[in-house]
Amino acid sequence: MSSTESNKKLQADAQDVLEGKSKKGFFARLLPFMGPAFIASVAYVDPGNFATNIESGAQFGYTLLWVILASNLMAMLIQTLSAKLGIVTGKNLAEHCRLRYPRWFVMALWILMELVAMATDLAEFLGAAVGFNLLLGVPLGVAALLTAITTFLILALERYGFRSLEAVITGFVSVIAISYIIELWIGKPDWSQVWFHTVIPQFKGSKSILLAVGILGATVMPHAIYLHSALMQDRIVVRDTKLLKRLFHYEIVDVVVAMGIASMVNGAMLIMSAATFHSRGLLNVGTLEQAYITLEPLLGKASSWVFALSLLFSGLSSASVGTMAGQVIMQGFMDFEIPLWLRRIITMVPSIVIIMVGVDPTKALVISQVMLSFGLPFAIIPLMNFTGDATIMGELVNAKPTRLLGALVTAIIIILNIYLLYSMIFTGA
């Protein structure tokens, strides 16, 4: 089926459901609306999450599990509002910024978001390369080439319609989730401690706060916020307010399911690290390579292979999604578009340089995730402004509780970033 035919069928199926004409079962009616949040959720299980979650679990055990839960609840709110902006207005977040902010501010935002996209791509590309390196035993340079080729192949699926790409990305997320179910089964964590630290907020010194900010930066991703609004703007087009509300409700289900899976995967990463490394006194397992090598003697060869496979699929899927997000950012802010393959080549360069000069991939991953957290307010604040404006959103404008909750989330992120900046400048943390 061609891209055009696939998109028309999706539109027709969705329209039937929204108008109450579909006679299919509940889950069959859900299918036309599922997918966009799964693409966005890849950003929440990218290799940067592996790095921060493994280091957090090894050093502090289960202590920071609550940060993962809190971060993913924030993500559900933010991604839902991003989707709503695209559904209601037919424009994505970057386009709204270009149309409504002064030119100088748009330029500054664009440059900042491009830097964020580069930091994101660094994490994703490095993660996939390390996955190939661990699984196949090839040098990192060769692994980087394999990553580039595979990413191009995944992006090429877009010519067959976005449903094909959504299916592949969802399959990758499923592999990552299944991998960590296996890791948890092998690792046998202390579930009483898991439940306790999931709901009870705690820190253990300034380093744990730094890692908490890293978890936040690796979880709530600026480029995913911009991307999700773009994924929804032309996917299912309806203009009737009643149908828009129904479409939005279906998209909430998509977000909750996708982000819920991402939350469980992130939690499983940290739990695996805590149960396997921290419980045995191995507090300094801070790199992906160390985790892979250490898992085998502790839990058997299967566990290390499963870890490497999940890392590879995470890197490949998130690298593809990151390239799409970069394209949305460029097109939205500058009204300028370049071919995806050219964008992929340009964004690969920093990652290849990092690999060639011998920089520790995991340290680069952690730093990139911390840097990403600085870009979050510049995605969240415009999103809250636009979705809280009745002249833009009409009847689907954010309700007062949503506006208050959004303001609280934004404040938390800004406060954590200020603390991180202070720690890096004055304490060298």
Side-chain angles (χ1 to χ4, degrees):
M1 185 181 295
S2 70
S3 172
T4 302
E5 290 172 340
S6 174
N7 296 348
K8 284 183 178 179
K9 185 178 186 305
L10 174 70
Q11 179 73 39
D13 290 344
Q15 197 77 27
D16 285 346
V17 174
L18 294 174
E19 294 176 357
K21 298 177 181 177
S22 176
K23 304 301 181 184
K24 298 177 180 178
F26 175 74
F27 291 107
R29 293 199 306 272
L30 272 180
L31 281 179
F33 308 98
M34 304 298 284
F38 281 86
I39 289 184
S41 75
V42 167
Y44 296 78
V45 289
D46 77 354
N49 295 82
F50 280 69
T52 51
N53 290 332
I54 288 170
E55 187 174 0
S56 300
Q59 289 196 27
F60 301 106
Y62 305 105
T63 302
L64 297 181
L65 270 173
W66 68 273
V67 178
I68 291 177
L69 176 62
S71 296
N72 277 274
L73 289 175
M74 292 182 193
M76 286 184 184
L77 170 66
I78 293 166
Q79 296 301 148
T80 297
L81 295 182
S82 176
K84 183 166 75 168
L85 182 68
I87 289 170
V88 174
T89 68
K91 293 183 174 64
N92 62 59
L93 179 56
E95 289 172 334
H96 278 288
C97 290
R98 171 166 54 85
L99 295 172
R100 299 176 186 278
Y101 289 147
R103 181 66 178 173
W104 67 267
F105 189 60
V106 172
M107 287 293 294
L109 269 181
W110 174 62
I111 292 171
L112 177 61
M113 287 304 116
E114 287 290 356
L115 292 174
V116 164
M118 289 175 63
T120 302
D121 196 73
L122 173 64
E124 294 156 349
F125 195 88
L126 282 173
V130 171
F132 272 125
N133 168 253
L134 297 177
L135 277 174
L136 305 180
V138 297
L140 270 176
V142 176
L145 180 61
L146 290 173
T147 300
I149 294 170
T150 309
T151 305
F152 279 124
L153 292 175
I154 295 170
L155 290 173
L157 290 171
E158 197 171 35
R159 72 179 62 181
Y160 300 106
F162 45 75
R163 289 301 273 177
S164 298
L165 186 59
E166 286 174 0
V168 170
I169 296 297
T170 301
F172 280 13
V173 172
S174 300
V175 170
I176 299 166
I178 292 169
S179 296
Y180 270 91
I181 291 173
I182 296 171
E183 292 282 12
L184 288 182
W185 179 73
I186 297 174
K188 297 180 175 60
D190 183 342
W191 288 107
S192 64
Q193 287 295 302
V194 168
W195 303 129
F196 177 82
H197 287 291
T198 297
V199 297
I200 303 298
Q202 287 182 340
F203 289 112
K204 289 184 179 179
S206 60
K207 181 62 185 295
S208 69
I209 301 178
L210 181 65
L211 281 172
V213 177
I215 290 173
L216 178 65
T219 305
V220 186
M221 304 286 274
H223 75 289
I225 299 172
Y226 282 93
L227 176 63
H228 203 159
S229 61
L231 291 172
M232 294 306 303
Q233 66 184 109
D234 296 317
R235 188 175 185 274
I236 298 173
V237 180
V238 292
R239 291 292 173 253
D240 179 79
T241 301
K242 185 178 180 181
L243 297 186
L244 278 174
K245 289 180 179 180
R246 289 180 182 173
L247 174 57
F248 177 55
H249 291 154
Y250 276 109
E251 183 53 24
I252 291 175
V253 176
D254 187 30
V255 170
V256 170
V257 173
M259 297 299 147
I261 292 173
S263 179
M264 289 186 285
V265 171
N266 275 309
M269 291 179 192
L270 192 147
I271 292 168
M272 180 276 292
S273 181
T276 306
F277 305 134
H278 185 82
S279 64
R280 292 172 169 84
L282 302 173
L283 309 185
N284 296 317
V285 177
T287 70
L288 299 173
E289 294 88 347
Q290 283 177 335
Y292 174 81
I293 293 169
T294 310
L295 276 171
E296 183 171 337
L298 293 178
L299 302 179
K301 190 173 183 62
S303 64
S304 60
W305 273 77
V306 169
F307 171 80
L309 185 66
S310 63
L311 176 62
L312 173 62
F313 275 73
S314 168
L316 291 175
S317 56
S318 57
S320 304
V321 170
T323 302
M324 295 167 59
Q327 184 77 308
V328 166
I329 288 168
M330 178 176 286
Q331 184 276 328
F333 279 112
M334 304 308 294
D335 198 18
F336 177 72
E337 189 173 350
I338 62 175
L340 273 177
W341 63 266
L342 181 57
R343 173 108 198 164
R344 176 70 266 171
I345 291 174
I346 294 171
T347 54
M348 282 192 304
V349 173
S351 305
I352 293 174
V353 170
I354 289 286
I355 290 172
M356 294 306 177
V357 300
V359 175
D360 178 11
T362 301
K363 295 302 179 186
L365 285 173
V366 174
I367 293 171
S368 72
Q369 300 311 298
V370 172
M371 294 306 297
L372 285 176
S373 65
F374 285 102
L376 277 174
F378 299 96
I380 296 175
I381 292 174
L383 177 67
M384 295 301 170
N385 285 341
F386 298 144
T387 55
D389 187 339
T391 62
I392 297 174
M393 302 298 293
E395 292 186 26
L396 274 79
V397 66
N398 290 344
K400 186 175 181 180
T402 303
R403 293 198 298 270
L404 291 174
L405 189 58
L408 176 62
V409 167
T410 305
I412 290 171
I413 290 171
I414 291 173
I415 290 169
L416 285 174
N417 285 337
I418 291 172
Y419 175 84
L420 175 62
L421 185 62
Y422 172 84
S423 298
M424 292 173 68
I425 294 174
F426 296 104
T427 68

